Amino acid sequence: MRMARPCYAVLSVDQYSTTTTSIGLSTILSSVLTESKTREFNPFVLYRTFYGAYDETVCLDWTTDSQAFCVGCKDMNTRVYGAQRFENLVVYSMGGHNDGVVGAYFEDESLDVYSLSQNGQLCVWECDTDLDGLKPYVADERKDESDMEEEEDENTRRKKAQEEQDQEMEKGEKILYKRLAKHNFKSARGEGAPYARLTSTAYHKQTHILCSGFEDGAFFLHEMPDFNLIHSLSISDQSIAAISFNKPGDWIALGCSGLGQLLVWEWQSESYVLKQQGHFNNMNCLAYSPDGQYIATGGDDGKVKVWNTSTGFCFVTFSDHLGGVTGVCFSQRGQVVLSSSLDGTVRAFDLNRYRNFRTFTSPRPTQFSCLTLDHSGEIVCAGALETFEIFVWSMQTGRLLEVLSGHEGPISNLSFGQSHAILASASWDKTVKLWDVFESKGARETITLGSDVLALACHPGGTEVAIATLNASITFWNVQNATQTGSIEGRHDLGYSRKDTDKITAKKSAGGKAFHTLCYTADGKCILAAGKSKNVCIYSVADQILIKKFEISCNLSFDGMEEYLDRRKMTEWGSLALVDTATEDTKAISLPGVKKGDMSSRHWKPEVRVSCVQFSPTGRAWAATTTEGLLIYSLDQNVVFDPFELEIDITPENVRKTLHKKEYTTALMLVFRLNEQKLIQEVVEQIPVEDVEYVSQALPDTYVDKMLGFVASMLEVSQHIEFYLVWGQNLLTIHGTKLKQRSQTVMSLLRSLQKSMTKRYEDLGKICDANKYSLQYILALSETKKKRKATEDVDAEVGDSDVDVEVGDSDVDAKNSPQHHDQDISEQSDSS
């Protein structure tokens, strides 16, 4: 990042407690600086520390030239600081509010300030000094600088800084602020409107537009400094947590934390640019579509949402369930999403018409805890929490085919094998049962374990099943003969953490942690595991060792993030976390049936956890539903140097020489061994189209797989769509038989290719449809013009003929007139 002048930013806000009985908060504002004349990274360094606030600082705004900044605090004061040392400005404090300040903003190219408080009051402050009237501070030459650099403790340095500020305030003339006006939002809200606190504000200096949001979901636009109301709207009944303008000032982004809602509003045309809303409660489950392009999620709010993995946007939401969603899955073609819920229903949603077209229910009411669909998409199975049974329905007719009973505890997970139609069911009764749904009744095999079974996953090949139990271990079993083939002990991999209210150590609390979700990778070589922890572990199935551990969050506002508790929160009566105090990091839980104003609400910190993990069918990404939300981890597509069977003589120069000799097959194999992305693209795009078929035939199987992966990645970003489609067609046509024989190993490549082609097809389809409709409109418009012109020509011809007829009639009348007869007689006499 290149900066024309020094850039300042707020780095941290530190709070200090004075006593244990009465807590007083004093805030230190720190600014950091970075200055660079070249395009290189420069670390931030501490520039200066500012004092003066008696409570938390909540907002900050800079002047246009970054020479001063204003800070709003909860102590009902607004303070103006100089970023550098000025003779006429050290710190200026302005009151005028009887509630905490929410926003404070400078006017454009001025030191005038607008300050807003939570009770809806707006103060306009005028400064008697212009922006260029700030005088730089001149240091006293007699003062020894070495004495100033001596190390001092925090209290001494703070007292000394306060004394210097007092001394500088006594010298010379200082800037002065005067309150010009004081406005209230009551007039904007209208008479009789209920009282609501101001929660967020934003000000655009170039257009002089102030946007303010309230806790009841209403927001207002005012033109400053006259406070003229431009627009008012209510987006929901939840509090607006954040507001931001874009650079031109015509778009406004509004965020509601209670609903997880994001809106982008174009205020001039009064229309929505973007409207997105996530789950406003915990996410429980997720599923990838067969091509890896979409993700379906279900949450405790009873909603099923479908997300686009490329854009990250949710494009459809189904709200038919009346209870929390416990499982989701896609059909084989990816056109249907199924979901199970605690309301006792399994629903099927059509992604073409966006409707619930089928509902599966049980003979007696029960809560469904899990869901699965067979490989053909004909059989739907769901497990019950209360009756310990598995219900089997037909997807085509919706009829209940069979009820599988045999478990003695709630069903925790269900999974179908891809190659064999074997249903595996896990239960809290410490057993896993294998069912043959199509041929026989009753359990085919029963696997007994030493602890409650929490999760299971079937191998993509269908020969193995992985089982996670309550003792934090993962065991692998052969499906054919029900024998154990391996095990992994993962308690230490989950990590040690401790809640704020725990009275035991983190090591002892780790005894109650386990894996709650499992998923194989697309090739079946690795397995993902996660649970009630901030870590997601990936293990090698063959070696049964930990390959990598992902930490999903470092947000300390979640409970269970730290191994050791903060000793500053410990008192002689216990931890301060046991005291029910509402902070910004906690969520309020009201009594059932209460919408707002509940005095008996309780506050709690969300605990970090991973509820579900799934690997993408393309093998290039995996997703997890966590306390943070939906997280997607993907492989880096632009690896600079990742060689494959590299030798000394394989260099970019040799590759280009071989390509210049028109030895395309050799050059392609060499560049794949070098495995540099840009060089591969250079070689492939220099191969003539007529030679693609010959090169595809000469490629070995290993390089066919690599070429398919490269074609799939380039189809997403390249402009040469037809060229890479020709490559894909030739590779699949020539090597189709061999690819089918090793379908399990190349399935991720084929799905990645399908995903890229589907995305391109949809993008081009939209463009072609738009062009088609535009051409149809132009043609229809031209036809209309032709018809109109023809009608005008006909009318013109008719008008001309009428004029001719009138002229002819007038000539005849003139000839028959007496004057004309007398004129003819006179002419005849003259001629004679």
Side-chain angles (χ1 to χ4, degrees), residues 398-439:
R399 293 177 59 251
L400 181 64
L401 300 178
E402 194 174 354
V403 178
L404 305 177
S405 58
H407 282 292
E408 299 177 358
I411 311 297
S412 57
N413 210 333
L414 294 174
S415 181
F416 261 110
Q418 293 189 5
S419 59
H420 304 284
I422 301 297
L423 174 65
S425 62
S427 175
W428 293 0
D429 61 359
K430 304 180 183 180
T431 62
V432 171
K433 293 183 181 292
L434 305 178
W435 312 80
D436 196 337
V437 179
F438 296 97
E439 294 183 1

Coordinates of all heavy atoms in Angstrom, one line a residue, residues 398-439:
G398 N -43.8 -40.6 -2.1 CA -43.9 -40.0 -0.7 C -44.5 -41.0 0.3 O -44.8 -40.6 1.4
R399 N -44.7 -42.2 -0.1 CA -45.2 -43.2 0.9 C -44.2 -43.8 1.8 O -43.0 -43.9 1.4 CB -45.9 -44.4 0.1 CG -47.1 -44.0 -0.7 CD -47.6 -45.1 -1.6 NE -48.0 -46.3 -0.7 CZ -47.3 -47.4 -0.7 NH1 -46.3 -47.6 -1.4 NH2 -47.8 -48.4 0.1
L400 N -44.6 -44.1 3.0 CA -43.7 -44.7 4.0 C -43.6 -46.2 3.6 O -44.5 -47.0 3.6 CB -44.3 -44.6 5.4 CG -43.5 -45.2 6.5 CD1 -42.1 -44.5 6.7 CD2 -44.3 -45.1 7.8
L401 N -42.3 -46.6 3.3 CA -42.1 -48.0 2.9 C -41.8 -48.9 4.0 O -42.3 -50.1 4.1 CB -40.9 -48.0 1.9 CG -41.0 -47.2 0.6 CD1 -39.8 -47.3 -0.2 CD2 -42.2 -47.6 -0.2
E402 N -41.1 -48.5 5.0 CA -40.7 -49.4 6.1 C -40.2 -48.6 7.3 O -39.8 -47.4 7.1 CB -39.5 -50.3 5.6 CG -39.2 -51.5 6.5 CD -38.2 -52.4 5.9 OE1 -37.8 -52.2 4.7 OE2 -37.8 -53.4 6.6
V403 N -40.3 -49.2 8.4 CA -39.8 -48.6 9.7 C -38.8 -49.6 10.3 O -39.2 -50.8 10.6 CB -41.0 -48.4 10.7 CG1 -40.4 -47.8 12.0 CG2 -42.0 -47.4 10.1
L404 N -37.6 -49.2 10.4 CA -36.5 -50.1 10.9 C -36.3 -49.8 12.4 O -36.1 -48.7 12.8 CB -35.2 -49.8 10.1 CG -35.2 -49.9 8.6 CD1 -33.9 -49.5 8.0 CD2 -35.6 -51.3 8.2
S405 N -36.5 -50.8 13.1 CA -36.4 -50.7 14.6 C -35.3 -51.7 15.1 O -35.1 -52.7 14.4 CB -37.7 -51.0 15.3 OG -38.2 -52.3 14.9
G406 N -34.7 -51.4 16.2 CA -33.7 -52.3 16.7 C -32.7 -51.5 17.6 O -32.1 -52.1 18.5
H407 N -32.6 -50.2 17.5 CA -31.8 -49.4 18.3 C -32.5 -49.2 19.7 O -33.7 -49.1 19.7 CB -31.4 -48.1 17.7 CG -30.4 -48.2 16.6 ND1 -29.1 -48.5 16.9 CD2 -30.4 -48.0 15.3 CE1 -28.3 -48.5 15.8 NE2 -29.1 -48.2 14.8
E408 N -31.7 -49.0 20.7 CA -32.3 -48.7 22.0 C -31.9 -47.3 22.5 O -32.1 -47.0 23.7 CB -31.7 -49.8 23.0 CG -32.1 -51.2 22.6 CD -31.5 -52.2 23.6 OE1 -30.7 -51.8 24.5 OE2 -31.7 -53.4 23.4
G409 N -31.5 -46.5 21.6 CA -31.2 -45.1 22.0 C -31.5 -44.2 20.8 O -31.8 -44.6 19.7
P410 N -31.4 -42.9 21.0 CA -31.7 -41.9 19.9 C -30.7 -42.2 18.7 O -29.5 -42.5 18.9 CB -31.5 -40.6 20.5 CG -31.7 -40.8 22.0 CD -31.2 -42.2 22.3
I411 N -31.2 -42.0 17.5 CA -30.4 -42.2 16.3 C -29.5 -40.9 16.1 O -30.1 -39.8 16.0 CB -31.2 -42.4 15.0 CG1 -32.2 -43.5 15.3 CG2 -30.3 -42.8 13.9 CD1 -31.6 -44.9 15.6
S412 N -28.2 -41.0 16.1 CA -27.4 -39.8 16.0 C -26.9 -39.5 14.5 O -26.7 -38.4 14.2 CB -26.1 -40.0 16.8 OG -25.4 -41.2 16.5
N413 N -26.9 -40.6 13.7 CA -26.4 -40.3 12.3 C -26.8 -41.4 11.4 O -26.9 -42.6 11.9 CB -24.9 -40.1 12.3 CG -24.4 -39.2 11.2 OD1 -25.1 -39.1 10.1 ND2 -23.3 -38.6 11.3
L414 N -27.0 -41.1 10.1 CA -27.3 -42.1 9.1 C -26.4 -41.8 7.9 O -26.1 -40.6 7.6 CB -28.8 -42.0 8.6 CG -29.9 -42.4 9.7 CD1 -31.2 -42.1 9.1 CD2 -29.7 -43.9 10.1
S415 N -26.1 -42.9 7.1 CA -25.2 -42.7 6.0 C -25.4 -43.9 5.0 O -25.4 -45.0 5.5 CB -23.8 -42.5 6.3 OG -23.0 -42.3 5.2
F416 N -25.5 -43.6 3.7 CA -25.6 -44.6 2.7 C -24.2 -44.7 2.0 O -23.6 -43.7 1.7 CB -26.6 -44.2 1.6 CG -28.0 -44.9 1.8 CD1 -29.1 -44.2 2.1 CD2 -28.1 -46.3 1.6 CE1 -30.3 -44.8 2.3 CE2 -29.3 -46.9 1.7 CZ -30.4 -46.1 2.1
G417 N -23.8 -46.0 1.7 CA -22.6 -46.2 0.9 C -22.9 -45.9 -0.5 O -24.0 -46.1 -1.0
Q418 N -21.9 -45.3 -1.2 CA -22.1 -44.9 -2.6 C -22.1 -46.1 -3.6 O -22.9 -46.1 -4.5 CB -21.0 -43.9 -3.0 CG -21.1 -42.6 -2.3 CD -20.1 -41.6 -2.9 OE1 -19.5 -41.8 -3.9 NE2 -20.0 -40.4 -2.3
S419 N -21.3 -47.1 -3.4 CA -21.2 -48.2 -4.3 C -22.2 -49.3 -3.9 O -22.8 -50.0 -4.8 CB -19.8 -48.8 -4.4 OG -19.4 -49.2 -3.1
H420 N -22.4 -49.6 -2.6 CA -23.3 -50.6 -2.1 C -24.5 -49.9 -1.4 O -24.3 -48.9 -0.7 CB -22.6 -51.6 -1.2 CG -21.4 -52.2 -1.8 ND1 -21.4 -53.2 -2.7 CD2 -20.1 -51.9 -1.6 CE1 -20.2 -53.6 -3.0 NE2 -19.4 -52.8 -2.4
A421 N -25.7 -50.5 -1.6 CA -26.9 -49.9 -1.0 C -27.0 -50.4 0.4 O -28.0 -51.0 0.8 CB -28.1 -50.3 -1.8
I422 N -26.0 -50.1 1.2 CA -26.0 -50.4 2.6 C -26.2 -49.2 3.5 O -25.5 -48.2 3.3 CB -24.6 -51.1 3.0 CG1 -24.4 -52.4 2.2 CG2 -24.6 -51.4 4.5 CD1 -25.5 -53.4 2.4
L423 N -27.2 -49.2 4.3 CA -27.5 -48.1 5.2 C -26.8 -48.3 6.6 O -27.0 -49.4 7.2 CB -29.0 -47.9 5.4 CG -29.4 -46.9 6.4 CD1 -29.0 -45.5 6.0 CD2 -30.9 -46.9 6.7
A424 N -26.0 -47.4 7.0 CA -25.3 -47.4 8.3 C -26.0 -46.4 9.2 O -26.2 -45.3 8.9 CB -23.8 -47.1 8.2
S425 N -26.4 -46.9 10.4 CA -27.0 -46.1 11.4 C -26.3 -46.1 12.7 O -25.8 -47.2 13.2 CB -28.5 -46.5 11.6 OG -28.5 -47.9 12.1
A426 N -26.1 -44.9 13.3 CA -25.4 -44.8 14.6 C -26.3 -44.3 15.7 O -27.3 -43.6 15.4 CB -24.2 -43.8 14.4
S427 N -26.1 -44.8 16.9 CA -27.0 -44.5 18.0 C -26.3 -44.3 19.2 O -25.1 -44.7 19.4 CB -28.1 -45.7 18.1 OG -28.9 -45.5 19.2
W428 N -27.0 -43.7 20.2 CA -26.4 -43.5 21.5 C -26.4 -44.8 22.3 O -25.9 -44.8 23.5 CB -27.2 -42.5 22.3 CG -27.1 -41.1 21.7 CD1 -26.3 -40.7 20.6 CD2 -27.7 -39.9 22.2 NE1 -26.5 -39.4 20.4 CE2 -27.3 -38.8 21.3 CE3 -28.5 -39.6 23.3 CZ2 -27.7 -37.5 21.5 CZ3 -28.9 -38.3 23.4 CH2 -28.5 -37.2 22.6
D429 N -26.9 -45.9 21.8 CA -26.9 -47.2 22.5 C -25.6 -47.9 22.3 O -25.5 -49.1 22.5 CB -28.1 -48.0 22.1 CG -28.1 -48.4 20.6 OD1 -27.1 -47.9 19.9 OD2 -29.0 -49.1 20.1
K430 N -24.5 -47.2 21.8 CA -23.2 -47.8 21.7 C -23.1 -48.8 20.5 O -22.3 -49.7 20.6 CB -22.7 -48.4 23.0 CG -22.7 -47.5 24.2 CD -22.2 -48.1 25.4 CE -22.2 -47.2 26.6 NZ -21.7 -47.8 27.8
T431 N -24.0 -48.7 19.5 CA -24.0 -49.7 18.4 C -24.1 -48.9 17.1 O -24.7 -47.8 17.1 CB -25.1 -50.7 18.5 OG1 -26.4 -50.0 18.5 CG2 -25.0 -51.5 19.8
V432 N -23.6 -49.6 16.1 CA -23.8 -49.1 14.7 C -24.4 -50.3 13.9 O -23.8 -51.4 14.0 CB -22.5 -48.7 14.1 CG1 -22.6 -48.4 12.5 CG2 -22.0 -47.4 14.7
K433 N -25.5 -50.1 13.3 CA -26.1 -51.2 12.6 C -26.0 -51.0 11.1 O -26.2 -49.8 10.6 CB -27.6 -51.3 13.0 CG -27.8 -51.8 14.4 CD -29.2 -52.0 14.8 CE -29.4 -52.4 16.3 NZ -28.8 -53.8 16.5
L434 N -25.8 -52.0 10.3 CA -25.8 -52.0 8.9 C -27.0 -52.7 8.3 O -27.3 -53.8 8.7 CB -24.5 -52.7 8.3 CG -23.2 -52.2 8.9 CD1 -22.0 -53.0 8.3 CD2 -23.0 -50.7 8.6
W435 N -27.8 -51.9 7.5 CA -29.1 -52.4 7.0 C -29.0 -52.6 5.5 O -28.4 -51.7 4.8 CB -30.2 -51.4 7.3 CG -30.2 -51.0 8.8 CD1 -29.5 -50.0 9.3 CD2 -31.1 -51.4 9.8 NE1 -29.8 -49.8 10.6 CE2 -30.8 -50.7 11.0 CE3 -32.1 -52.4 9.9 CZ2 -31.4 -50.9 12.2 CZ3 -32.7 -52.6 11.1 CH2 -32.4 -51.9 12.2
D436 N -29.6 -53.6 5.0 CA -29.8 -53.8 3.6 C -31.3 -53.4 3.3 O -32.2 -54.3 3.4 CB -29.5 -55.3 3.1 CG -29.4 -55.4 1.6 OD1 -29.9 -54.5 0.9 OD2 -28.7 -56.3 1.2
V437 N -31.5 -52.2 2.9 CA -32.9 -51.7 2.8 C -33.7 -52.4 1.7 O -34.9 -52.6 1.8 CB -32.8 -50.2 2.5 CG1 -34.2 -49.6 2.4 CG2 -32.1 -49.5 3.7
F438 N -33.0 -52.8 0.6 CA -33.7 -53.3 -0.6 C -34.0 -54.8 -0.5 O -35.0 -55.3 -1.1 CB -32.9 -53.0 -1.9 CG -32.7 -51.6 -2.1 CD1 -31.6 -50.9 -1.7 CD2 -33.7 -50.8 -2.7 CE1 -31.4 -49.5 -2.0 CE2 -33.6 -49.5 -3.0 CZ -32.4 -48.8 -2.6
E439 N -33.2 -55.6 0.1 CA -33.3 -57.0 0.0 C -33.9 -57.7 1.3 O -34.9 -58.4 1.2 CB -31.9 -57.7 -0.2 CG -31.3 -57.3 -1.6 CD -30.0 -58.0 -1.8 OE1 -29.6 -58.8 -0.9 OE2 -29.4 -57.7 -2.9

